[in-house]
Amino acid sequence: MKNSVLILRQKQIAAAKREFKARGSKLSRCEACLLSEHLCICDNLQVAEDCQSAVCLLMYHNESFKPSNTGRLIADVVPDNHAFRWDRTEPDEALLSLLKDPSYQPIVVFPADSAEPERVITKVERIESKKPLFIFLDGTWREAKKMFRKSEYLDTFPVLSVSPDSLSDYKLRVAPHAHQLGTAEVACVVLAEAGECSAAEKLTAHFIDFRDAYLKGKRSLS
């Protein structure tokens, strides 16, 4: 199965003028999960083959390079996945074509307090003959807010506001506010609320595997 985030990552690496070096860049990593080879979690991955929703990740600048990024975990699990580097003024033509595709129902996933009230929805009403396309803005909280404010090509789509009951277990990078979740965690909630229970369960298990292995590797570096 294709992982659009890894494909985007390879394209950005090929086009980069200088090498992006994250912490632990000298590690020998699995090319799929980007974890240290001895902590690889790929054998445990389960794909949600029956998922009837699609995902699109808009990734801020170098987000796809980061080993701590969880957006690619979504693309591991959901078969119909798409990823693009965010650009305010020159969005990828393939992204614009995807958003205009009549077989999809684009929905931006973002907190309600950042959107006009008339755009906000709390439940997905599926449109016949269309597949929900959940659009995740993948970056730090500040970057995600910038993408939301400055992406005019997203302004016509409804905004799904997610209010998870539990606080985040995402400890790879520290969010400014306790209620903020990592991208994969948000996707778990979105998929569950959209009736994609199998996909939500598989993504949750994959996220936990990744989080635990990543933190184990981080401790060994320290």
Side-chain angles (χ1 to χ4, degrees):
M1 188 185 87
K2 72 160 187 175
N3 183 311
S4 56
V5 176
L6 291 178
I7 293 171
L8 174 63
R9 182 175 186 271
Q10 290 305 315
K11 286 181 180 178
Q12 287 191 265
I13 288 173
K17 293 181 179 178
R18 62 188 179 91
E19 186 180 0
F20 177 85
K21 290 188 176 182
R23 187 184 182 203
S25 59
K26 294 182 179 180
L27 282 177
S28 180
R29 296 184 183 274
C30 168
E31 289 298 316
C33 65
L34 301 186
L35 292 165
S36 178
E37 287 182 346
H38 74 283
L39 295 171
C40 175
I41 59 171
C42 292
D43 287 346
N44 296 332
L45 172 62
Q46 295 185 63
V47 177
E49 300 286 0
D50 58 346
C51 186
Q52 298 301 306
S53 298
V55 296
C56 174
L57 290 133
L58 270 185
M59 311 193 78
Y60 196 83
H61 299 181
N62 292 327
E63 188 64 31
S64 68
F65 290 135
K66 298 175 182 177
S68 59
N69 173 267
T70 65
R72 71 176 177 278
L73 304 180
I74 310 170
D76 279 337
V77 172
V78 178
D80 192 348
N81 64 83
H82 310 263
F84 303 93
R85 183 181 185 275
W86 177 76
D87 193 293
R88 180 177 66 86
T89 58
E90 298 181 1
D92 193 312
E93 286 298 326
L95 167 63
L96 299 181
S97 296
L98 176 69
L99 298 177
K100 293 175 183 176
D101 189 327
S103 64
Y104 288 111
Q105 177 186 353
I107 300 165
V108 181
V109 179
F110 212 70
D113 57 8
S114 297
E116 297 87 350
E118 61 272 17
R119 291 181 66 193
V120 176
I121 61 174
T122 56
K123 184 179 180 181
V124 177
E125 299 291 344
R126 292 182 181 248
I127 299 173
E128 188 176 357
S129 78
K130 289 181 179 287
K131 178 187 286 191
L133 175 68
F134 295 112
I135 302 167
F136 297 93
L137 307 181
D138 199 8
T140 65
W141 178 235
R142 179 178 294 179
E143 291 165 351
K145 287 196 292 185
K146 179 179 178 180
M147 288 190 281
F148 185 80
R149 291 196 313 269
K150 298 188 175 183
S151 302
E152 292 184 2
Y153 43 90
L154 299 179
D155 287 350
T156 60
F157 303 128
V159 176
L160 177 63
S161 178
V162 175
S163 300
D165 295 330
S166 59
L167 295 179
S168 175
D169 279 337
Y170 183 63
K171 299 174 183 175
L172 310 188
R173 285 179 283 163
V174 179
H177 303 290
H179 66 276
Q180 291 171 10
L181 302 178
T183 307
E185 289 177 287
V186 174
C188 291
V189 178
V190 167
L191 290 168
E193 294 186 351
E196 303 282 6
C197 296
S198 175
E201 290 171 1
K202 288 178 170 64
L203 180 55
T204 299
H206 191 37
F207 169 78
I208 292 171
D209 281 350
F210 176 79
R211 180 201 62 192
D212 292 350
Y214 184 94
L215 291 175
K216 186 181 294 184
K218 192 173 181 180
R219 284 193 293 270
S220 68
L221 283 176
S222 301

